[in-house]
Amino acid sequence: MIPLSTVCYASKDDVIDALGPLLIGLEGKSYAIDMKRRNNDIFPRDEAIQAIALCVPKRSYRVDLDKPDSTICVHIFKSLAGISVVPGFYDLFDLNLSKIKKNDGNPRSASSSS
């Protein structure tokens, strides 16, 4: 399952432009960027991650790669990019249905505290 709030052409500039309105959906105080590329070796992954990080207000949010409050998901499929901001993305097992089923649908935070 892949969350998509918006879709645009797979270029760094288009992704940054499309991301702007979605940043309103950032919840909490920390974030991570989850970028996946499928059938596209041209998209500048590292450059795009740095550019996305520059768009996030530094005073309000900090990077947390272990337990972020929200995750900016960017998925590149050939010439298209799907973008979303997902609160609790890693607690939801990266929205991987087989991982969710293995854990009986329990979020990671609940399973790690018992």
Side-chain angles (χ1 to χ4, degrees), residues 1 4-5 11 16 20 22 24 27 34 37 46 50 52-53 55-56 58 60 64 71 78 81-82 92 107 109:
M1 182 166 39
L4 301 177
S5 296
S11 75
I16 297 303
L22 299 179
I24 296 167
E27 293 183 7
D34 179 63
R37 291 185 303 182
D46 294 335
Q50 290 175 357
I52 290 168
C55 293
V56 178
K58 302 269 183 280
S60 303
D64 184 348
T71 302
K78 293 188 178 185
L92 299 171
S109 57

Side-chain angles (χ1 to χ4, degrees), residues 4-105:
L4 301 177
S5 296
T6 190
V7 177
C8 65
Y9 181 71
S11 75
K12 182 179 76 169
D13 293 334
D14 286 349
V15 168
I16 297 303
D17 289 342
L19 179 65
L22 299 179
L23 289 178
I24 296 167
L26 276 176
E27 293 183 7
K29 294 290 180 188
S30 63
Y31 75 97
I33 299 170
D34 179 63
M35 176 148 329
K36 302 239 185 333
R37 291 185 303 182
R38 293 174 181 86
N39 298 320
N40 183 320
D41 295 329
I42 299 169
F43 186 82
R45 183 182 189 279
D46 294 335
E47 282 179 42
I49 289 174
Q50 290 175 357
I52 290 168
L54 291 174
C55 293
V56 178
K58 302 269 183 280
R59 292 183 181 168
S60 303
Y61 303 98
R62 63 180 168 74
V63 174
D64 184 348
L65 301 178
D66 293 324
K67 292 187 98 176
D69 296 323
S70 292
T71 302
I72 299 169
C73 299
V74 180
H75 293 265
I76 308 297
F77 310 95
K78 293 188 178 185
S79 63
L80 295 176
I83 308 165
S84 61
V85 174
V86 182
F89 181 71
Y90 293 114
D91 288 337
L92 299 171
F93 301 98
D94 309 340
L95 299 177
N96 182 321
L97 296 178
S98 63
K99 287 182 185 179
I100 291 171
K101 185 175 184 207
K102 281 182 187 177
N103 290 306
D104 296 325

